[in-house]
Amino acid sequence: MGERLAFYDMDRTITVHPTYARFLLWMALRRKPLRLLLLPFSLLAAIGYVLRLVSREELKQINQKLLLGKLRVASIAKPMAAHAEHVFATNIRPGAIERIAADRAEGYRIVIATASYRLYVEAIARRLGIDDVIATDLIVSRGTVQPRIAGHNCYGPHKAEMIAAWMAEHQLDPAQCTIRCYSDHVSDIPMLDMAHEAFVTNAHMPMRIVARERGWPELEWPGALAPPPGVAQQGLTG
């Protein structure tokens, strides 16, 4: 038999709150605070997204360009590490950590699959004891992170495609693997459809409706300001 794989969405599944906008603000406050004056233009871009004049992918790139611009790789390690520590301390669901530890104990390889940027997700994943990340990548050129997405935003059907590509890269045959998937949002239905066991977590109502139609179990992992120390340790070492 092939490998056991558990794919977890991150924002609002493992975390209580979305991380993307919070990451931009965190980095802007610490590196380029004057760029916060451009927030009204970010709001205009968001309105353009609602009106379908701007794609989700374009919106992410616009916001990054406004609030962060280009980032020198050599200069971001320290604030990125501090950001990951902050997320782990204040924005992780203890129930998610417990479930990750339980899956790991059953022999599952844990993979975060998220539309958030790999740029900051990998540091969070390491604090959760997770080595494998499928995420939105950014173009890096001459030691500088550009406000441009490389390939596709890891969202919706593209996330399922990127999971399939990751499995092929690791020589994992889906027909020979046992797959679990966890998500809170209807955008991840293509990912959940890949699973032998699909779990809906902390879901909004449209996702709950789909889950009940398809018989997917619904899990509730309450939020907390910080994981209890014992639970956090289990997640890191499990």
Side-chain angles (χ1 to χ4, degrees), residues 197-220:
E197 295 179 283
F199 297 93
V200 172
T201 61
N202 322 300
H204 63 158
M205 187 50 65
M207 185 75 261
R208 293 183 186 276
I209 292 170
V210 173
R212 291 163 193 174
E213 289 173 349
R214 302 196 184 191
W216 292 340
E218 297 178 49
L219 305 178
E220 291 296 332

Side-chain angles (χ1 to χ4, degrees), residues 1-19:
M1 290 295 293
E3 196 160 356
R4 292 182 173 186
L5 303 169
F7 294 98
Y8 283 76
D9 174 49
M10 188 175 77
D11 287 356
R12 289 197 173 122
T13 298
I14 293 174
T15 68
V16 180
H17 306 291
T19 59

Side-chain angles (χ1 to χ4, degrees), residues 82-103:
H83 172 262
E85 291 291 348
H86 177 73
V87 171
F88 185 76
T90 65
N91 194 20
I92 301 294
R93 297 181 186 273
I97 294 180
E98 291 176 335
R99 186 71 180 208
I100 289 167
D103 279 348

Side-chain angles (χ1 to χ4, degrees), residues 24 33 35 69 84 90 97 133 164:
L24 294 182
R35 283 185 174 267
T90 65
I97 294 180
V133 170

Side-chain angles (χ1 to χ4, degrees), residues 112-128:
I112 289 179
T114 176
S116 296
Y117 287 159
R118 182 185 303 278
L119 179 69
Y120 69 88
V121 172
E122 286 186 334
I124 297 168
R126 284 194 295 272
R127 283 154 180 80
L128 293 166

Side-chain angles (χ1 to χ4, degrees), residues 61-228:
Q61 293 174 125
I62 290 168
N63 285 334
Q64 185 183 347
K65 187 173 183 178
L66 288 171
L67 296 178
L68 299 185
K70 298 178 181 179
L71 297 171
R72 296 292 300 173
V73 173
S75 70
I76 61 176
K78 186 174 180 179
M80 295 282 286
H83 172 262
E85 291 291 348
H86 177 73
V87 171
F88 185 76
T90 65
N91 194 20
I92 301 294
R93 297 181 186 273
I97 294 180
E98 291 176 335
R99 186 71 180 208
I100 289 167
D103 279 348
R104 188 180 286 116
E106 289 185 41
Y108 280 83
R109 180 175 180 176
I110 311 300
V111 185
I112 289 179
T114 176
S116 296
Y117 287 159
R118 182 185 303 278
L119 179 69
Y120 69 88
V121 172
E122 286 186 334
I124 297 168
R126 284 194 295 272
R127 283 154 180 80
L128 293 166
I130 298 171
D131 295 323
D132 294 297
V133 170
I134 301 167
T136 302
D137 288 304
L138 293 166
I139 292 174
V140 180
S141 176
R142 298 181 181 179
T144 301
V145 180
Q146 308 288 329
R148 292 169 53 203
I149 290 173
H152 291 293
N153 188 31
C154 186
Y155 182 85
H158 290 309
K159 182 183 287 190
E161 293 166 2
M162 292 168 76
I163 289 172
W166 178 89
M167 292 183 69
E169 178 185 348
H170 288 81
Q171 300 182 330
L172 297 168
D173 181 357
Q176 297 297 318
C177 293
T178 302
I179 299 174
R180 287 178 175 172
C181 291
Y182 300 84
S183 180
D184 69 293
H185 197 269
V186 289
S187 63
D188 278 332
I189 288 174
M191 176 182 77
L192 294 167
D193 279 337
M194 301 174 70
H196 298 95
E197 295 179 283
F199 297 93
V200 172
T201 61
N202 322 300
H204 63 158
M205 187 50 65
M207 185 75 261
R208 293 183 186 276
I209 292 170
V210 173
R212 291 163 193 174
E213 289 173 349
R214 302 196 184 191
W216 292 340
E218 297 178 49
L219 305 178
E220 291 296 332
W221 298 331
L225 290 179

